Amino acid sequence: MAIVGLLIAIVGGIAAWSWRAQRAAEAARELEGIARTAANLPRKLAFKRKTGKAGLQLVDDPREAATLMMVEIGRAGREFSRETREVIEEIIINEFELETEDADALVAHATFMLRDAPVADAVMTRMSKMIFNQNAIGPKEIVDLDSMLVAVSEADGLPNADQLMLLQTFRNVVGLRT
């Protein structure tokens, strides 16, 4: 009888420890879930800030805004040529210090974003205000950006009237006098 009681006690002890181990594992999984939630919180908050926005409203990087403006000027009043694209990519590589693949991806992204964009003047105004009002770049960089935009407008020859109008829009928003 003592042996049966001892066996029951051993089995009961093993069952109790097994139950405790399962509870500990569940608690560890819960803590892991809480930790993942906390780790993803900044990303989730950033997503919530952007919710309800679309397209150009999501642009908050000055380099992306500058690329959008260059592409907009490059396609204003004419076909967006391979030469214009190459000029923009060269500017991005030299001025933004990006690799060729990144420059190509940035131009492709800008072209994609502008496919359903409002009129060119509205794009130029929005991107110029984003850069200027947020003090994203300084006065020297604004003059440099103006030179970049001029270079893009001259990629296929003399700038046309639409390109000159967009250049003037940029200059008006950022306070450059010509």
Side-chain angles (χ1 to χ4, degrees):
M1 188 68 149
I3 295 178
V4 173
L6 182 63
L7 286 175
I8 291 174
I10 291 173
V11 170
I14 292 172
W17 280 105
S18 174
W19 179 77
R20 283 186 175 174
Q22 287 176 345
R23 297 299 304 158
E26 287 176 22
R29 279 192 291 274
E30 244 181 79
L31 286 174
E32 179 186 20
I34 291 170
R36 283 188 184 172
T37 300
N40 288 329
L41 189 60
R43 182 186 56 81
K44 287 180 181 179
L45 292 175
F47 177 76
K48 283 185 179 182
R49 266 195 318 276
K50 292 182 177 184
T51 303
K53 295 181 180 179
L56 300 176
Q57 294 173 331
L58 294 173
V59 177
D60 58 2
D61 181 0
R63 295 175 299 179
E64 183 180 12
T67 304
L68 285 161
M69 289 190 288
M70 286 188 272
V71 170
E72 195 61 44
I73 283 187
R75 68 184 200 145
R78 60 174 65 156
E79 186 74 25
F80 188 65
S81 69
R82 188 173 50 94
E83 292 80 15
T84 301
R85 183 184 182 99
E86 288 171 359
V87 167
I88 294 171
E89 287 179 4
E90 183 179 322
I91 289 170
I92 291 170
I93 291 167
N94 294 331
E95 298 296 328
F96 302 165
E97 299 175 355
L98 295 178
E99 298 294 323
T100 304
E101 299 80 29
D102 295 332
D104 183 51
L106 189 54
V107 173
H109 173 69
T111 305
F112 177 77
M113 284 187 70
L114 291 171
R115 77 189 188 295
D116 296 327
V119 294
D121 189 56
V123 171
M124 188 62 70
T125 300
R126 177 181 285 279
M127 294 300 104
S128 300
K129 285 181 179 178
M130 192 283 295
I131 287 175
F132 187 68
N133 291 343
Q134 293 181 359
N135 295 321
I137 61 176
K140 181 194 177 306
E141 289 83 12
I142 288 175
V143 172
D144 291 345
L145 179 54
D146 183 62
S147 298
M148 292 177 218
L149 295 173
V150 169
V152 171
S153 72
E154 296 172 346
D156 287 330
L158 291 175
N160 61 36
D162 293 335
Q163 291 171 320
L164 292 172
M165 187 242 347
L166 291 177
L167 286 170
Q168 193 58 50
T169 298
F170 169 74
R171 291 171 179 156
N172 290 342
V173 171
V174 299
L176 286 178
R177 302 293 171 233
T178 55

